Amino acid sequence: MRSVAHETPRRRAHTYLSGLLFVVGVLHFVAPKLFDGIVPKQLPGEPRAYTYGSGVAELGVATALAVPKTRRFGGWLAAGLFVAVFPANVQMTVDVLGNPKSSPAFKAGVVARLPLQIPLIVAALRVARR
């Protein structure tokens, strides 16, 4: 069995994606208020349900990516998840840009974060196609 240290960068994508999704999934339960605020207001129901639901989804996808037998399927799931949460990231950007209390650095950060979804989706698709 190969250790992560001996994997090529391309083969490590699943490890990084799984770790990222695991940490963010846990954060949905540890600090749910942070995520409640970025649920698009147009969605029906309570934001907390979406926060917990997306946290469960992220933990499930992280697990699928970590397990060799489900890794390819996990790549497809991760790509879909990154696309699905993009509206929440847009909502957060709109809210932050419209908030006069947000610092210019924070505003720049949330704007810069939006195009970073693209490499995440690309990496997930690479895992799926392997």
Side-chain angles (χ1 to χ4, degrees), residues 75-88:
W76 291 114
L77 290 174
L81 181 64
F82 293 138
V83 170
V85 300
F86 189 73

Side-chain angles (χ1 to χ4, degrees), residues 65-76:
L65 285 165
V67 176
K69 286 187 177 189
T70 58
R71 186 164 296 143
R72 288 187 69 202
F73 184 59
W76 291 114

